[in-house]
Amino acid sequence: MPLYPSLEDFEVDKMAHVQQAVGQKAQAAIQSAAAAPAAGGLYDWESLDVLQQLMYGTTDISPAALKEELGEEIAQIYTGGRVRDSEDRTLAVVTQKDNVGMMRAEIKQGVRPMLIAKDQKGVLGIAPVAWDSGIFVGFVWAGSTAAMAGMRFGDQILRINGESVAAWKQEKVLKVLRNADPSGVEIVVRDRPYARTLTFQKDAHNLCGFGFKEGQITSLVKDSSAVRNGLLTKHQLLEVNGQNVVGLKDKDILQIIKESPQTVTVTIAPSFIYKSMIAGIGFKRIKKYMDHSVPEV
């Protein structure tokens, strides 16, 4: 079962598969008629009637009917079945596989070890937050060694120098980091477990179909790409095409979206989680010093 970046990609590819199936069915009908003409005419009118039904949507689209009319492999794609091999069967897409915004925004599954040296002041440039018995990155200082190493807002810290930080308090994390060897602190993280990414296609107005205030999604435009792809209100914008936008003014976030390519990937998290993470840091500090650099791919 293929995965698609957006609903638009799915619809475009679905149409391409249907057109391919219709073309193959038409070719087979013509070849069959040419090999053994039916009595009273050149064409197999029953087969052509099925083609017309496929094209105009009046045929049975049950799994059994799809299998009969489109073939087993194509039917499996649209009925949730598993394709026997891993070959990419995508025929048409809107979002290219090498889309830079998607690659920058990717939330990798698994854990990632990082070795980060402190700067000349003896700091890494992060603010840890204790929440739900875990430790999370609530702030990444612009230009810090942590920022250059790729640590992001919302990442979960699992271990520091071989010690599990589960159920630690914020004060203990700060003390351990403060006393760690400045030449290198080994930190194991999980990418933004409370966040998810959504990919949209811009409309004729160069927008994706949602409104926001102070970074929080407040409204959705009917039939927009944002609505089709499942964006929800009461969620906070964390990144646009992988670039952190936490602390930016709304007009600056909007400008980033407008300057983005046709395909836009946003990273969001529930607003109550976001607010809990920044509660002890202070929005003024975040607004002034948060890292907003564009990640390298």
Side-chain angles (χ1 to χ4, degrees), residues 286-297:
I286 289 175
K287 182 178 178 181
K288 187 173 182 180
Y289 298 112
M290 176 70 85
D291 174 56
H292 295 121
S293 60
V294 178
E296 295 183 1
V297 178

Side-chain angles (χ1 to χ4, degrees), residues 127-131 138-139 153 170-171 174 272-286:
V129 175
W131 197 71
F139 178 81
F153 175 89
Q170 183 184 38
E171 293 76 13
L174 289 170
F272 77 95
I273 293 178
Y274 164 78
K275 291 176 181 177
S276 296
M277 286 191 180
I278 69 167
I281 298 172
F283 188 74
K284 288 184 178 180
R285 182 184 181 191
I286 289 175

Side-chain angles (χ1 to χ4, degrees), residues 19-31:
Q19 289 176 343
Q20 181 190 63
V22 169
Q24 292 172 345
K25 191 76 175 181
Q27 186 64 29
I30 292 172
Q31 290 175 349

